[in-house]
Amino acid sequence: LLGEDVATPYEFSWANVPFGNYELRAVATDNHGLTEESTVNIEVQIAPSINVTTPTEGSVLTEGAPTTLEAAASDQDGTITLVEFFQGDTKLGEDTEAPFSIVTTAVTSAGAQTITAKATDDDGLETTSAAIGISVKALPVVVITTPVDGEGILVGGDVTITATASDADGTVSLVEFFAGDQKIGEASAEPYTVTWTQPAEGDYPLYAVGTDNEDLKGTSDTVNFSVFTPPTVTLDSPVEGDTLIDGSPTLLEATAADTDGTITAVAFYIGNTQIAVDSTAPYSLTWDVDQASGVYGMHAIATDSDGITTTSDTATVVVKGRPAVTIINPSQGQLLNENDSITIETVTADLDGEVVKVDFFIDGTLIGTDSTAPFTIDWNNLPAGAATITAEATDNDNLVGTSTPIDVIVRNRPTVSITNPINGTIFIQDEDVQIEATAADEDGSVSWVEFYYDGNLIGSDNEAPFEVF
């Protein structure tokens, strides 16, 4: 008999139950002395035991350093299936086979810490060991602040490398700077900085290593840094002293190369104005000159695959403007008359010289030249029909400028013929004479016909047949 209870809920606490298998029986007795019982079978298992053997109480560990953690674990009624290691609440690792140990670099958080181990047996029972108090020494923290990741310079330059460094439980005594395996320099006091003199072309992983007063070392993250060779570029055309003609095509040509990449574009400039870009070698194209007269510097800028640019030497060129000529008489669309004469008049200008002659053309045929300002010419005996007038001015550099065409229409004159009387007819004095005429107009109609006798008007008629008496 383990115990009894006389009031509901009927219960009993069995303390310190030994390991083993048991049949438990409860017997109920009523007020008439009658009894009834219930039986269950139970098994009492033994939880595993575990204790941390390494590190020992009071051990001093280094933050992030390889650390061995060991534990002794056993189970009286089975086997240990898992041992887990913890720093505080943070799991550091596990082992499933004796001897139970791990090597970890995850011991962090400088200062007082605890290490525990938890064992799990084949019945799923768990036991956590007593905590082992340790002290964790902090590594110095180093951060490279300049240059930043992905930065670069052109070959031949110097690089200033700067870092910040601190130590949570001590002081920083030294910061060393490295480019890959190459030590660049060191600094023992703030600001932690070194100058890397003219590094060779290439890509470099930069990092810094800080050492504290306990000779513990911390390494910064890597900063990727590049030293570039700039592209080369030469302006081959135009060259120094060339003369360009406004409105005429000229060849733009350059030679460009890059030893540590590729050329992505060559841009051509006149002054500060970009006039053309070519992205494929050979870097050559034609520019229709569109520039005011004057003296200009021309250059080319090459850009490589690293985004580095190089500017060529400047070639000084002269841009010559063509003379300007404008026809001011006749005007556009003006109506002229057949067989008349008209003076074709122009105004001219030349910003960098003078106009020496103007050639005049009717429908592309030269009708004359004037070499004296104001430049004019008489167009005589105008033929009937549509005509286009143009003028070409030539300056002292033998450059030619052409006017805007002027379109005119030369109207046909009407035709008239006396049909009665016929030539040589003889009349009797004081007899009436009927005078008749036919008249026509190729590009219009006849409004009236006037009849004259020895130059004296004797009558007119505005309807065909045209006649007077």
Side-chain angles (χ1 to χ4, degrees):
L1 178 66
L2 297 177
E4 61 183 30
D5 196 358
V6 296
T8 60
Y10 303 105
E11 60 186 10
F12 174 76
S13 179
W14 185 15
N16 299 317
V17 181
F19 163 74
N21 295 309
Y22 297 92
E23 178 187 87
L24 299 183
R25 183 163 52 93
V27 179
T29 303
D30 67 10
N31 58 331
H32 298 294
L34 300 178
T35 62
E36 187 61 73
E37 64 183 46
S38 174
T39 302
V40 297
N41 294 302
I42 67 169
E43 179 182 359
V44 178
Q45 299 173 336
I46 299 177
S49 64
I50 186 169
N51 64 285
V52 176
T53 57
T54 302
T56 58
E57 183 72 25
S59 294
V60 177
L61 306 182
T62 300
E63 180 182 17
T67 299
T68 299
L69 304 180
E70 296 178 328
S74 61
D75 188 48
Q76 291 185 29
D77 60 351
T79 58
I80 301 296
T81 60
L82 178 67
V83 171
E84 300 168 279
F85 295 89
F86 296 84
Q87 177 185 339
D89 294 329
T90 302
K91 182 175 177 177
L92 303 177
E94 63 183 39
D95 195 2
T96 58
E97 293 183 1
F100 302 104
S101 68
I102 63 170
V103 177
T104 180
T105 59
V107 177
T108 58
S109 302
Q113 302 292 327
T114 59
I115 300 294
T116 58
K118 181 171 70 174
T120 302
D121 67 11
D122 54 343
D123 293 315
L125 299 180
E126 298 177 345
T127 300
T128 299
S129 72
I132 300 298
I134 62 170
S135 177
V136 179
K137 288 291 185 180
L139 296 179
V141 177
V142 186
V143 177
I144 292 179
T145 56
T146 57
V148 299
D149 192 62
E151 193 173 347
I153 64 166
L154 296 179
V155 68
D158 295 340
V159 184
T160 298
I161 308 174
T162 303
T164 59
S166 60
D167 190 54
D169 55 4
T171 58
V172 175
S173 58
L174 181 68
V175 174
E176 300 169 282
F177 296 88
F178 296 85
D181 296 332
Q182 174 190 357
K183 182 175 178 178
I184 298 170
E186 62 183 40
S188 57
E190 293 183 303
Y192 302 105
T193 182
V194 296
T195 298
W196 189 12
T197 304
Q198 296 185 358
E201 173 192 324
D203 297 322
Y204 297 92
L206 302 182
Y207 62 94
V209 176
T211 303
D212 68 9
N213 55 305
E214 295 183 299
D215 205 32
L216 299 179
K217 298 182 184 295
T219 302
S220 72
D221 289 338
T222 297
V223 170
N224 295 300
F225 186 80
S226 298
V227 179
F228 304 106
T229 297
T232 59
V233 60
T234 302
L235 180 64
D236 300 319
S237 178
V239 297
E240 180 75 18
D242 275 358
T243 297
L244 312 184
I245 308 302
D246 184 35
S248 295
T250 191
L251 177 65
L252 302 177
E253 196 167 28
T255 301
D258 189 51
T259 60
D260 60 354
T262 58
I263 299 295
T264 58
V266 173
F268 296 88
Y269 288 79
I270 185 165
N272 293 321
T273 302
Q274 181 178 298
I275 55 176
V277 177
D278 194 357
S279 57
T280 305
Y283 307 101
S284 176
L285 43 80
T286 299
W287 174 47
D288 290 327
V289 180
D290 181 16
Q291 194 74 22
S293 300
V295 179
Y296 297 92
M298 295 192 69
H299 63 273
I301 297 179
T303 303
D304 69 11
S305 50
D306 294 313
I308 307 300
T309 61
T310 299
T311 302
S312 72
D313 291 339
T314 298
T316 302
V317 300
V318 177
V319 177
K320 289 286 187 180
R322 295 181 180 275
V325 56
T326 303
I327 296 174
I328 59 172
N329 186 55
S331 59
Q332 179 68 24
Q334 185 171 336
L335 299 177
L336 307 177
N337 296 321
E338 182 182 15
N339 297 328
D340 279 356
S341 295
I342 188 173
T343 299
I344 303 173
E345 302 175 33
T346 65
V347 291
T348 61
D350 190 48
L351 297 178
D352 55 5
E354 60 179 351
V355 176
V356 296
K357 71 170 182 173
V358 174
D359 295 319
F360 296 88
F361 297 84
I362 303 297
D363 294 332
T365 300
L366 180 66
I367 63 169
T369 300
D370 191 0
S371 301
T372 305
F375 300 98
T376 63
I377 196 169
D378 291 331
W379 182 22
N380 300 316
N381 299 318
L382 276 61
T388 299
I389 307 170
T390 54
E392 290 184 354
T394 303
D395 68 8
N396 56 304
D397 292 314
N398 206 33
L399 300 178
V400 177
T402 302
S403 72
T404 300
I406 297 295
D407 297 315
V408 297
I409 296 176
V410 181
R411 297 175 294 193
N412 295 82
R413 290 185 178 275
T415 59
V416 63
S417 176
I418 297 175
T419 58
N420 185 54
I422 63 174
N423 194 43
T425 300
I426 298 174
F427 294 93
I428 299 173
Q429 185 178 356
D430 298 327
E431 182 180 359
D432 290 338
V433 177
Q434 181 177 353
I435 307 173
E436 300 174 2
T438 59
D441 189 53
E442 289 187 13
D443 54 6
S445 60
V446 176
S447 300
W448 67 83
V449 175
E450 296 173 317
F451 295 87
Y452 291 83
Y453 166 69
D454 289 341
N456 298 307
L457 179 65
I458 59 175
S460 65
D461 191 359
N462 58 6
E463 291 185 1
F466 303 103
E467 58 188 5
V468 294
F469 292 92

